[in-house]
Amino acid sequence: MKLEIRGVTKTFQSKNGALTALDAIDLDVQPGEFVCLLGPSGCGKSTLLNIIAGLDAPTRGQVRVEGKIVTRPGPDRVMIFQSAALFPWLSVFDNVKFGLNMIGVPKPARQVIARKYLQMVHLADFERASVHELSGGMKQRVAIARALAADPDVLLMDEPFGALDAQTRDLLHDELQTIWTETRKTIVFVTHNVREAVVLGDRVVVFSARPGRIKKIFTIDLPRPRQIESYAVVDLAREIMAELKEDVLASVHDPQVSWLQGMEAQRVGDDVL
Amino acid sequence: MKLEIRGVTKTFQSKNGALTALDAIDLDVQPGEFVCLLGPSGCGKSTLLNIIAGLDAPTRGQVRVEGKIVTRPGPDRVMIFQSAALFPWLSVFDNVKFGLNMIGVPKPARQVIARKYLQMVHLADFERASVHELSGGMKQRVAIARALAADPDVLLMDEPFGALDAQTRDLLHDELQTIWTETRKTIVFVTHNVREAVVLGDRVVVFSARPGRIKKIFTIDLPRPRQIESYAVVDLAREIMAELKEDVLASVHDPQVSWLQGMEAQRVGDDVL
Amino acid sequence: PGVVRFGYFPNITHAQAVIGIADGTFARALGDNVKIDPKIFNAGPSAIEALFAGQLDLTYIGPNPAINGYVKSKGEALRIIAGATSGGAVLVVRSDAGITSPADFRGKKIATPQLGNTQDVAARAWLMNQGFKLKEQGGDTQVIPIANPDILTLFQKKEIDAAWVPEPWGARLVREANGKIFLDERELWHATRGEFVVAHVIVSTKFLKANPELVKKFLVAHVELTQRINAEPTSAKLKLNTEIQRLTGAALPTAILDDAWSRQTITYDPIRASLYGSADAAFKLGFLGDTMPNLDNIYDLTLLNQVLKEKGLTVVQ
Amino acid sequence: MVSRVFQNTLARKLIFFAALIAVWQTLAWSGWWAEYIFPSPLGVAQTLARGFQNGTFVVGIATSMQRLLIGFGISAIIGILSGLAIGRSKVLDETIGSLVLGLQTLPSICWLPLALLWFGLSETAMLFVVVMGALLAITTATEAGVKNTPPLYLRAARNLGARGWKLYALVIFPAALPEIITGMKLGWSFAWRSLMAAELLYVSLGLGHLLMMGRELNDMSQVVAVMLVIIAIGLVVDRVIFAPIETRVRERWGLI
Amino acid sequence: MVSRVFQNTLARKLIFFAALIAVWQTLAWSGWWAEYIFPSPLGVAQTLARGFQNGTFVVGIATSMQRLLIGFGISAIIGILSGLAIGRSKVLDETIGSLVLGLQTLPSICWLPLALLWFGLSETAMLFVVVMGALLAITTATEAGVKNTPPLYLRAARNLGARGWKLYALVIFPAALPEIITGMKLGWSFAWRSLMAAELLYVSLGLGHLLMMGRELNDMSQVVAVMLVIIAIGLVVDRVIFAPIETRVRERWGLI
Ligand SMILES: Nc1ncnc2c1ncn2[C@@H]1O[C@H](COP(=O)(O)OP(=O)(O)OP(=O)(O)O)[C@@H](O)[C@H]1O
Ligand SMILES: Nc1ncnc2c1ncn2[C@@H]1O[C@H](COP(=O)(O)OP(=O)(O)OP(=O)(O)O)[C@@H](O)[C@H]1O
Ligand SMILES: [Mg+2]
Ligand SMILES: [Mg+2]
């Protein structure tokens, strides 16, 4: 499915005044494309995903999915939230089956599909556990299984691998790439890990600090499957990194932390995380 | 303050039977030492921190702080939770002041201290915001400020930088190192980022997969301040990585994912994270 | 003591109390250094509770709660010291219920204000005398105890056919719900020449023992009020109604007041025989427990008779 | 393990209530007040024994429980459904919601004349009063539970395609369940109170009637005996029905 | 912006209630039922006007409100404190907690004799009945709120050194606040109901008394007029006191 994001601006009203989280975002995501969003904390990445999901309305502008303006959520666009957002009243297994139930998959099939994805995230042993019995990373993996099981056309992933150890994350990177190659879902993937973005994305969209604007879009032409340690990935990541750094420094306008700038200076050659 | 962890075992009873999260952990943390805990998701890192904090009781064994057995939480050991755990009924500012209030810091001083730490995490502009108005990374930063403001002797940090972009994280790494060098707090730091562990820790304790056991302890003798891109750090991280990888593969006993092992084989040279 | 805690209900059967409090008769009779603390109740049991709890010294009240209070306290708590009102209970039938003779009550529903109260007992006794079996005994005539206001509603809705009620409800059923008086209860009390107690005055035993002079002063006023009301019923009714309006927010329509008044007598005679008669009937119907309570000492009429003698009036038994 | 805990709990409770009764009996013996003012435990025990022997209490309990269960069942169903509706719809909240809240403040006794008028002298009139008593409490609590549902759950569910009744049944309802249970507990006691009021309607064999008779006859030991029966039933219902549900829900939600 | 929303809300509400009254008047005119069985809006309006003109309603409202406010205030304070205590202590929960739940099922009318006994025929007796009515609802709700507090908040607070009263005042209480507010709303209506029962105790000028008088006199328009006054007060209290608090709390907690 094709996503067209046109002039999306989001301003939050709160008692301390208005806060513009996103400022006139224009972005097209082609059907089957894997787009990664990168940007400093609080620049509006989650907000943009929410708007695409139809969970929030933009203040101005619009998002179209296959030409139709998004007004509400639908099972064609499933989001993995930054906090796992599992339902505490359901077991792990039932959480994963939830989306299947919503889109009317018959019961026996639900079992099979749910089990498959739980195995994929290495939590087959925990299918009967309660949500509060899981560790942080385990919760996030259940959320990933729940979203993948629902098999939507568009996957919106908000730092899904943030709470995982490097190894588990690498395994899931591979899984995700396999799924994507096979099913050609449209994926919008938020991460704060530049190299993750380069490994996974067809394009990497870099946001500026608040108010979030698109600063630069990198097209990643590297052949797949990509290796996280390949020189090409590392080089590209480094380039994007430099771009981002500049922005972070801009956002640190605070005199008290101005020493940071000096410190940063000597770290320009910094490797990508 | 000195921490002595002696034969700590934690077994959770749940309706699906018992689950041993930690198995006979022995570890001494010297006063002013910076110890990093590394291990696969669900291996009991958070559980161990909870036990040190006095929030959970071990099934067997005990934790001593300065020789005194821990039976309950105290403001001398402050934890930063994996999920920020901010109080939604308090503003950002009041959240940061909470711990100061608890330990009886007078009002005017609270203001000053809270403001200082909010500036440090770059959220000075958000002091009057509600918790739900923050992005994921911002919440985590408030939690960090809250814990640092309380100025405990022992800091227990559970993946505090997991939700942050690389730049913000690097800045906070520097801050943390500065604070630690100045105040010589005892810090136990959980992370899934091997290189982060190497940059920050005096020692890196590597856990095996569930049931969590200490697999190996690496002493990091590199001079400080350490650079995340220095060869020494990268090399050490690579070594630890190899150690960990073996364990992840052991935990993947599931036949359905056995192909992973083949895939992993070709990635032995994998860079850290 | 300096205070007499004095209970009454704002209704027409407590005429002496309502008027006497309003025009200060009681206050004058008891003297300057005694304060009257009036307490107004809506129902007998609350008044008895208050008396039990030591919160009430003297009150106007119906015969049933008095008997209950006496029996429950094993004769300790209270004494009846004077009568107040007699009569004022009727059996009303719905005009369109097709009841013209006692035999027509077969299969009908008769409402009474409260299970085991005077009217309820009277209704049950009367129906059984007519040879009916009540529903709970396997018959088909039904006695339904239900609050007076609801009787009116149900009459209007034709859910019940007849009601044995005190005044002014009899008068109201006639005027407002198309009822017709089938029987005035006075007709049943041949032995007491048509008199039967509907309200009297009780006093807590403790108070009576401690302050006989005060009780006597009260009784003087009570007797005077009774005479005055009977001598000038028109102005008494007017005063009564004004006071009811003040206490309850609404006056009785004059027609209803007049009608109801015509079926009751204001008297200081407690009509002892009627109380025993209705206690007997109540016991037979199973309302007073397993053994017939001994009511011998429920009356203490010495002071009343002293007062009557001093005034040259005939003493009561 | 579980049975040990249970035994301890039981033991603690028995001791607590035994102590309460002992204090009460001692005070009664001390002669502070006359037996007819407030009965002694022994007097109450006698009344209880008599009531159960001659069957009046048994009939009373059976009659009241039947009314209560039917009335409460109706209230629970309607209350939860309307609470779910009101909690999610601004328009309903502003119209029916405020009406419900207003009606809620009306004492049950206000409903008696209307119930008589609409339903006559029937069980239905009594049920109506019970329902009016319990319904609004359950509605209010459900509504509050719905409003207090963390928005994240709603977002996650809607995002996975939950809509319409499925959203209500599978997300909003379970998310609000802890509060709904509190509401049901309150509703249960509202239902009792209303039933007592309703049993004033006309003589009806129920416990409320027994209570009223005790009061009418100034028989305090009957009043207290019926109060004890009511408390006992309340506790049994709580322990046997509400407490296990509450515990299970809390465990499930990770609130323990 | 805020006032626009407010106006809309108000408009919607006015329309809703106007429509209700219109339907009622139409039905009354249609002659489905006689005026004496159920009054028409016009009849009620007349009674209301009269009641306010001659002051009886004003006095009734003032008297009842005073009792209610004092009684509710006492209940709120004691109820919240005891709910906080019971919610956190297993022993208290098993002893006093179950007693509270049992007592809660007792209709207010049961308390009248005891109130008389303990406090005599005084305002205190009336307050006692009101307090017994509202207290238990507030206690139960607070207790539930405490038990439903996400353990994470407790852990975070204890971890920062919160203990004793500070833990209660600064963490448990605010965390339970949304449920406590629901409890207060219910307690408020319990208080009303109990007050009506208490005002039957003896003639006492309050609204409950006016209601009873209407009933005694079968003056249905007085009954309905008083009911309307009660509903109106209920709504005003809800809109002016509870709703703003509720909204603020929800906003603060991010529940909107
Ligand atoms: N409900 C809300 N009310 C007010 N402000 C909000 C709200 N949600 C988000 N914001 C603000 O919008 C900005 C962007 O938030 P968003 O969650 O989209 O950031 P993000 O890019 O996802 O950051 P992170 O990487 O830290 O998760 C932040 O400054 C935040 O404070
Ligand atoms: N309350 C609980 N009840 C039952 N099991 C639990 C509970 N808390 C944790 N566990 C289990 O204990 C194990 C260790 O959990 P813990 O949260 O300590 O892991 P972790 O090392 O912090 O993992 P992560 O990196 O994913 O956060 C997990 O398998 C988890 O399922
Ligand atoms: Mg985010
Ligand atoms: Mg963890």
Side-chain angles (χ1 to χ4, degrees):
Chain A
M1 288 223 242
K2 182 173 174 152
L3 300 179
E4 295 160 285
I5 300 163
R6 291 289 147 75
V8 164
T9 296
K10 177 75 187 180
T11 306
F12 288 105
Q13 299 293 344
S14 79
K15 55 186 182 319
N16 309 317
L19 183 147
T20 302
L22 289 173
D23 190 12
I25 303 294
D26 280 303
L27 182 68
D28 277 14
V29 181
Q30 299 308 318
E33 197 184 12
F34 198 134
V35 170
C36 290
L37 309 184
L38 258 181
S41 172
C43 73
K45 305 179 293 294
S46 301
T47 306
L48 184 58
L49 281 205
N50 275 319
I51 292 172
I52 298 174
L55 292 167
D56 267 346
T59 312
R60 268 198 306 283
Q62 51 189 239
V63 174
R64 290 167 195 267
V65 174
E66 290 284 281
K68 267 189 61 192
I69 295 181
V70 167
T71 53
R72 59 175 185 192
D76 52 333
R77 284 156 286 136
V78 167
M79 174 133 160
I80 299 174
F81 292 87
Q82 195 162 2
S83 58
L86 301 179
F87 302 122
W89 55 89
L90 297 179
S91 68
V92 163
F93 199 37
D94 289 340
N95 261 290
V96 176
K97 285 192 293 188
F98 185 90
L100 297 168
N101 180 357
M102 288 305 122
I103 53 179
V105 173
K107 267 204 173 159
R110 284 181 219 166
Q111 307 270 349
V112 177
I113 299 174
R115 208 155 267 147
K116 172 176 148 202
Y117 284 98
L118 270 177
Q119 263 159 357
M120 195 189 93
V121 295
H122 310 310
L123 286 174
D125 294 349
F126 284 84
E127 67 178 42
R128 284 164 61 205
S130 293
V131 169
H132 70 275
E133 293 169 352
L134 302 180
S135 78
M138 288 156 85
K139 280 187 197 134
Q140 198 57 45
R141 284 185 276 158
V142 174
I144 294 166
R146 181 173 69 176
L148 290 177
D151 191 28
D153 296 322
V154 180
L155 254 179
L156 306 168
M157 308 177 82
D158 197 355
E159 308 196 17
F161 304 142
L164 299 182
D165 55 294
Q167 290 65 42
T168 312
R169 197 188 56 189
D170 284 355
L171 296 184
L172 290 174
H173 278 173
D174 294 335
E175 288 283 2
L176 185 59
Q177 291 204 59
T178 310
I179 289 173
W180 178 72
T181 336
E182 280 168 7
T183 63
R184 284 285 155 182
K185 290 180 193 310
T186 308
I187 298 183
V188 184
F189 188 105
V190 170
T191 176
H192 54 257
N193 183 325
V194 186
R195 228 196 290 169
E196 180 171 87
V198 173
V199 168
L200 294 173
D202 290 330
R203 283 192 292 165
V204 174
V205 179
V206 177
F207 280 71
S208 66
R210 196 173 342 109
R213 296 206 184 87
I214 293 182
K215 198 173 158 181
K216 190 145 185 187
I217 300 181
F218 298 87
T219 306
I220 317 291
D221 280 329
L222 309 176
R224 293 179 189 264
R226 296 175 191 153
Q227 304 298 321
I228 206 161
E229 79 275 18
S230 72
Y231 287 113
V233 168
V234 174
D235 284 350
L236 240 166
R238 199 182 303 261
E239 186 178 325
I240 294 169
M241 191 76 177
E243 197 81 42
L244 274 173
K245 186 150 293 165
E246 198 176 300
D247 198 56
V248 169
L249 292 179
S251 81
V252 183
H253 38 64
D254 195 328
Q256 268 222 285
V257 284
S258 60
W259 56 265
L260 276 170
Q261 312 211 359
M263 209 171 219
E264 278 308 301
Q266 60 178 101
R267 296 176 71 207
V268 167
D270 200 1
D271 195 1
V272 194
L273 16 159
Chain B
M1 288 222 243
K2 183 175 171 149
L3 301 178
E4 294 159 286
I5 300 165
R6 290 291 146 77
V8 164
T9 297
K10 178 74 186 182
T11 306
F12 288 105
Q13 300 293 343
S14 80
K15 57 185 182 313
N16 309 315
L19 184 146
T20 302
L22 290 173
D23 190 11
I25 303 293
D26 280 304
L27 183 68
D28 277 14
V29 181
Q30 301 307 320
E33 198 186 13
F34 198 133
V35 170
C36 291
L37 308 185
L38 258 181
S41 171
C43 73
K45 305 181 292 293
S46 300
T47 306
L48 183 59
L49 281 204
N50 275 318
I51 291 173
I52 298 174
L55 293 167
D56 268 345
T59 312
R60 269 198 305 283
Q62 50 190 239
V63 174
R64 289 167 196 267
V65 173
E66 289 285 281
K68 267 189 61 193
I69 296 182
V70 166
T71 53
R72 58 176 189 192
D76 53 333
R77 285 154 285 136
V78 168
M79 174 134 159
I80 298 173
F81 293 85
Q82 195 163 1
S83 57
L86 301 178
F87 303 122
W89 55 89
L90 298 179
S91 68
V92 164
F93 199 36
D94 289 339
N95 261 289
V96 176
K97 285 191 292 187
F98 186 90
L100 297 168
N101 181 355
M102 289 305 121
I103 54 179
V105 172
K107 268 204 171 156
R110 284 181 219 166
Q111 308 270 349
V112 176
I113 300 175
R115 207 156 267 145
K116 169 176 149 204
Y117 285 98
L118 271 175
Q119 261 160 357
M120 194 190 93
V121 297
H122 309 309
L123 287 174
D125 294 349
F126 284 85
E127 67 177 44
R128 282 165 60 205
S130 294
V131 169
H132 70 275
E133 291 170 352
L134 302 180
S135 77
M138 288 155 85
K139 279 186 196 136
Q140 198 57 46
R141 283 185 276 159
V142 175
I144 294 167
R146 182 173 67 176
L148 290 177
D151 190 27
D153 296 321
V154 180
L155 254 179
L156 306 168
M157 308 178 80
D158 197 354
E159 308 196 17
F161 304 142
L164 299 181
D165 57 294
Q167 290 63 45
T168 311
R169 198 188 54 191
D170 285 354
L171 296 183
L172 289 174
H173 278 172
D174 295 334
E175 289 282 2
L176 185 60
Q177 292 202 58
T178 311
I179 289 173
W180 178 73
T181 336
E182 281 166 7
T183 63
R184 282 287 155 180
K185 287 181 197 307
T186 309
I187 299 185
V188 184
F189 188 101
V190 170
T191 175
H192 55 258
N193 184 326
V194 187
R195 227 196 287 171
E196 179 169 88
V198 173
V199 168
L200 294 173
D202 291 328
R203 282 191 294 162
V204 175
V205 179
V206 178
F207 280 70
S208 67
R210 197 172 343 106
R213 297 204 183 89
I214 295 184
K215 199 172 153 178
K216 192 149 184 182
I217 300 182
F218 298 86
T219 305
I220 317 289
D221 281 329
L222 308 176
R224 296 181 185 262
R226 298 178 190 151
Q227 303 298 322
I228 206 161
E229 77 277 14
S230 73
Y231 286 113
V233 168
V234 172
D235 284 348
L236 240 167
R238 198 182 301 260
E239 187 179 324
I240 295 170
M241 190 77 176
E243 199 78 44
L244 274 174
K245 184 152 294 165
E246 200 177 297
D247 198 57
V248 169
L249 292 179
S251 84
V252 182
H253 39 62
D254 195 329
Q256 266 222 289
V257 282
S258 62
W259 56 264
L260 276 172
Q261 312 208 357
M263 210 170 217
E264 277 309 299
Q266 60 178 98
R267 296 177 72 204
V268 167
D270 200 0
D271 195 2
V272 197
L273 30 149
Chain C
V3 183
V4 178
R5 291 162 304 175
F6 184 104
Y8 65 103
F9 303 1
N11 71 33
I12 62 168
T13 59
H14 291 206
Q16 292 103 318
V18 176
I19 294 173
I21 291 286
D23 69 7
T25 308
F26 290 127
R28 279 191 300 277
L30 294 182
D32 287 341
N33 46 2
V34 178
K35 200 175 145 283
I36 295 180
D37 177 10
K39 309 215 181 255
I40 305 168
F41 293 91
N42 281 332
S46 315
I48 295 293
E49 271 162 15
L51 190 123
F52 277 3
Q55 296 292 325
L56 196 60
D57 301 317
L58 180 152
T59 186
Y60 285 70
I61 200 163
N64 263 65
I67 294 176
N68 280 325
Y70 181 78
V71 172
K72 286 290 140 37
S73 67
K74 305 202 170 64
E76 277 175 29
L78 59 88
R79 294 287 180 272
I80 300 171
I81 51 162
T85 314
S86 140
V90 284
L91 173 58
V92 183
V93 297
R94 214 158 28 85
S95 304
D96 48 3
I99 300 176
T100 50
S101 76
D104 296 331
F105 278 95
R106 178 170 309 283
K108 295 289 196 266
K109 292 179 179 164
I110 300 101
T112 61
Q114 192 184 90
L115 185 65
N117 91 332
T118 327
Q119 286 82 33
D120 189 61
V121 168
R124 284 167 200 271
W126 183 78
L127 284 167
M128 280 161 79
N129 280 343
Q130 303 300 318
F132 293 115
K133 266 186 155 181
L134 299 182
K135 191 143 185 215
E136 44 273 45
Q137 300 152 335
D140 56 0
T141 302
Q142 211 180 334
V143 174
I144 300 173
I146 187 167
N148 286 321
D150 299 325
I151 291 177
L152 188 67
T153 313
L154 291 169
F155 233 75
Q156 287 162 340
K157 279 201 79 193
K158 304 189 199 230
E159 291 235 358
I160 48 177
D161 307 295
W164 200 302
V165 285
E167 295 298 351
W169 292 96
R172 290 194 62 188
L173 286 178
V174 170
R175 302 217 159 235
E176 295 172 14
N178 192 23
K180 151 175 113 195
I181 291 183
F182 181 83
L183 181 75
D184 185 332
E185 196 180 327
R186 286 182 293 190
E187 291 163 26
L188 299 176
W189 294 91
H190 309 294
T192 51
R193 293 177 312 281
E195 298 288 346
F196 63 99
V197 58
V198 64
H200 50 208
V201 186
I202 62 172
V203 65
S204 96
T205 321
K206 234 190 266 159
F207 186 81
L208 180 60
K209 279 218 189 81
N211 308 288
E213 344 66 53
L214 273 183
V215 175
K216 193 171 166 191
K217 283 185 193 161
F218 158 78
L219 283 169
V220 171
H222 177 68
V223 170
E224 277 173 18
L225 276 162
T226 309
Q227 289 175 320
R228 192 156 17 107
I229 292 169
N230 281 325
E232 303 162 15
T234 322
S235 73
K237 276 191 279 185
L238 197 68
K239 210 177 264 173
L240 179 64
N241 216 2
T242 323
E243 196 57 12
I244 287 178
Q245 160 134 46
R246 188 180 70 81
L247 292 171
T248 69
L252 283 171
T254 325
I256 287 178
L257 176 60
D258 288 343
D259 192 13
W261 190 268
S262 72
R263 281 187 292 272
Q264 72 173 27
T265 317
I266 303 297
T267 172
Y268 45 77
D269 184 347
I271 325 166
R272 205 171 178 150
S274 80
L275 185 102
Y276 290 151
S278 65
D280 269 343
F283 176 68
K284 283 198 195 110
L285 287 164
F287 287 125
L288 287 179
D290 306 330
T291 47
M292 177 62 197
N294 180 351
L295 298 180
D296 289 350
N297 292 322
I298 194 171
Y299 286 100
D300 187 338
L301 303 177
T302 17
L303 290 172
L304 176 64
N305 280 335
Q306 276 178 29
V307 170
L308 292 179
K309 219 180 275 164
E310 284 162 20
K311 293 200 177 253
L313 296 163
T314 11
V315 299
V316 299
Q317 316 154 332
Chain D
M1 175 81 190
V2 168
S3 83
R4 266 269 302 291
V5 168
F6 181 71
Q7 273 170 23
N8 277 337
T9 301
L10 200 72
R12 247 197 301 264
K13 236 175 250 185
L14 282 180
I15 292 169
F16 176 71
F17 284 105
L20 266 190
I21 291 171
V23 170
W24 174 14
Q25 180 69 57
T26 317
L27 282 177
W29 270 331
S30 79
W32 258 28
W33 59 72
E35 173 101 18
Y36 60 82
I37 295 187
F38 194 68
S40 69
L42 287 180
V44 173
Q46 275 162 17
T47 310
L48 276 173
R50 206 184 51 230
F52 277 103
Q53 258 160 30
N54 69 20
T56 46
F57 277 28
V58 180
V59 174
I61 292 173
T63 315
S64 292
M65 284 309 283
Q66 193 196 338
R67 291 182 182 135
L68 207 54
L69 289 180
I70 299 176
F72 182 68
I74 297 174
S75 314
I77 295 171
I78 304 181
I80 290 174
L81 291 180
S82 56
L84 289 175
I86 294 171
R88 292 288 298 162
S89 153
K90 209 169 141 56
V91 174
L92 285 184
D93 186 20
E94 278 163 5
T95 53
I96 299 185
S98 45
L99 193 63
V100 162
L101 204 95
L103 291 180
Q104 163 125 327
T105 53
L106 280 180
S108 327
I109 207 148
C110 294
W111 297 109
L112 294 187
L114 289 179
L116 271 181
L117 195 66
W118 291 337
F119 305 106
L121 281 173
S122 58
E123 282 290 303
T124 320
M126 218 164 262
L127 279 183
F128 175 74
V129 175
V130 173
V131 168
M132 285 317 288
L135 176 62
L136 304 170
I138 299 179
T139 306
T140 311
T142 307
E143 184 196 323
V146 168
K147 287 190 189 156
N148 291 342
T149 301
L152 186 63
Y153 297 149
L154 290 178
R155 296 169 80 91
R158 299 206 306 136
N159 179 248
L160 286 162
R163 269 206 266 157
W165 74 266
K166 278 190 175 177
L167 187 67
Y168 279 95
L170 301 179
V171 182
I172 297 176
F173 176 74
L177 202 52
E179 284 197 52
I180 291 177
I181 290 171
T182 311
M184 301 267 276
K185 278 168 75 174
L186 282 171
W188 174 255
S189 54
F190 265 114
W192 262 108
R193 287 161 185 242
S194 308
L195 183 64
M196 297 297 111
E199 288 183 345
L200 283 170
L201 264 184
Y202 61 109
V203 173
S204 55
L205 303 174
L207 278 176
H209 171 58
L210 291 175
L211 188 83
M212 286 314 124
M213 282 312 298
R215 216 168 110 70
E216 295 293 348
L217 300 173
N218 285 102
D219 182 350
M220 283 307 284
S221 62
Q222 168 123 347
V223 170
V224 174
V226 176
M227 281 169 73
L228 286 185
V229 171
I230 295 177
I231 292 183
I233 294 177
L235 289 182
V236 167
V237 167
D238 179 57
R239 289 302 127 183
V240 176
I241 301 177
F242 289 118
I245 297 180
E246 221 178 348
T247 311
R248 268 196 60 191
V249 166
R250 285 229 181 81
E251 250 167 36
R252 194 25 135 183
W253 270 231
L255 291 173
I256 301 188
Chain E
M1 173 83 189
V2 168
S3 85
R4 262 272 302 292
V5 168
F6 181 72
Q7 273 170 23
N8 276 335
T9 299
L10 200 73
R12 248 199 300 265
K13 236 175 250 186
L14 282 180
I15 291 169
F16 175 71
F17 284 104
L20 266 190
I21 291 171
V23 170
W24 172 15
Q25 180 69 58
T26 317
L27 281 177
W29 271 329
S30 79
W32 257 27
W33 60 69
E35 174 101 17
Y36 59 77
I37 294 192
F38 195 70
S40 68
L42 287 179
V44 173
Q46 275 161 16
T47 309
L48 275 174
R50 205 185 52 228
F52 278 102
Q53 257 159 30
N54 69 20
T56 48
F57 277 27
V58 179
V59 173
I61 291 173
T63 315
S64 293
M65 283 309 283
Q66 193 196 338
R67 290 179 182 140
L68 208 54
L69 289 180
I70 299 175
F72 182 71
I74 297 174
S75 313
I77 295 170
I78 304 181
I80 290 174
L81 291 180
S82 57
L84 289 175
I86 294 172
R88 293 285 300 161
S89 152
K90 211 170 141 51
V91 175
L92 285 184
D93 187 19
E94 277 163 6
T95 52
I96 299 184
S98 46
L99 193 65
V100 163
L101 204 95
L103 292 181
Q104 163 124 328
T105 54
L106 282 180
S108 327
I109 207 150
C110 293
W111 296 110
L112 295 188
L114 287 179
L116 268 182
L117 191 64
W118 293 336
F119 305 105
L121 282 171
S122 57
E123 282 291 302
T124 320
M126 219 165 262
L127 279 183
F128 176 74
V129 175
V130 173
V131 168
M132 284 317 287
L135 175 63
L136 304 170
I138 298 178
T139 306
T140 311
T142 308
E143 184 198 322
V146 169
K147 289 191 187 158
N148 291 341
T149 301
L152 186 63
Y153 297 148
L154 289 179
R155 297 168 79 91
R158 298 207 306 137
N159 180 247
L160 286 162
R163 271 206 266 157
W165 74 264
K166 277 191 175 174
L167 187 67
Y168 278 96
L170 301 180
V171 182
I172 296 177
F173 177 73
L177 202 52
E179 285 196 50
I180 291 177
I181 290 171
T182 311
M184 301 266 276
K185 278 167 73 175
L186 281 171
W188 174 254
S189 55
F190 265 115
W192 262 108
R193 287 162 183 240
S194 308
L195 183 65
M196 297 298 112
E199 287 182 346
L200 283 170
L201 199 58
Y202 62 112
V203 175
S204 57
L205 302 174
L207 278 176
H209 170 59
L210 290 175
L211 187 83
M212 285 313 120
M213 284 326 301
R215 211 166 114 67
E216 288 290 334
L217 301 170
N218 280 91
D219 182 350
M220 285 306 282
S221 62
Q222 167 126 344
V223 171
V224 174
V226 176
M227 283 169 74
L228 287 185
V229 171
I230 294 177
I231 292 183
I233 294 177
L235 289 181
V236 168
V237 168
D238 180 57
R239 289 302 125 186
V240 175
I241 301 177
F242 289 119
I245 298 179
E246 221 178 348
T247 311
R248 267 198 60 191
V249 166
R250 287 231 180 78
E251 250 166 37
R252 195 26 136 177
W253 270 230
L255 291 173
I256 300 187

